[in-house]
Amino acid sequence: QVQLEESGGGSVQAGGSLRLSCVASGYTYSSISMAWFRQAPGKEREGVAFIYTSSGYTEYHASVKSRFTLSQDTAKNTVYLQMNSLKPEDTARYYCAAGRWYIVGWSNPGSFPYWGQGTQVTVSS
């Protein structure tokens, strides 16, 4: 059983930064895919960023590619999402997701069997 725990959300003004963390436990960390999704009220859950932990390969949604950065600390089984130049449209609940091995089609929420509870990010103008 995989457990994911997110932290680091909060409220910031536009242009500010936040760093989200996701700690994974319950399986071999080095052989999983992890991703961050977000969901705003009334909108579908959207894939934001993806990492394959064994290689460090990352992908990003086009809307965040120049502003958000994924990193990982393998010793702590933790993935970080550094979010810079935040915009009001980034406001959403952010969820960490995980699945075994390399996941093709990571932007589809249905590709991931394991989810955290989410952390709220609010960006004011």
Side-chain angles (χ1 to χ4, degrees), residues 56-117:
Y57 173 76
T58 57
E59 289 188 18
Y60 299 89
H61 189 280
S63 67
V64 308
K65 194 170 185 178
S66 60
R67 302 184 292 121
F68 292 8
T69 303
L70 270 173
S71 61
Q72 62 177 335
D73 184 334
T74 55
K76 296 181 178 180
N77 290 357
T78 302
V79 167
Y80 303 99
L81 183 67
Q82 178 66 44
M83 306 186 296
N84 298 329
S85 302
L86 282 162
K87 304 175 181 180
E89 51 263 45
D90 294 318
T91 295
R93 190 163 185 86
Y94 283 69
Y95 297 88
C96 180
R100 290 185 179 275
W101 310 119
Y102 184 85
I103 290 180
V104 178
W106 68 269
S107 61
N108 177 3
S111 298
F112 292 87
Y114 305 110
W115 291 83
Q117 295 300 308

Side-chain angles (χ1 to χ4, degrees), residues 19-54:
R19 189 178 78 159
L20 306 184
S21 301
C22 177
V23 181
S25 61
Y27 59 97
T28 303
Y29 174 82
S30 63
S31 61
I32 64 166
S33 293
M34 296 182 72
W36 286 95
F37 287 78
R38 65 186 180 188
Q39 189 166 21
K43 294 189 177 181
E44 294 186 352
R45 194 164 293 192
E46 172 184 63
V48 175
F50 165 88
I51 185 167
Y52 184 50
T53 57
S54 66

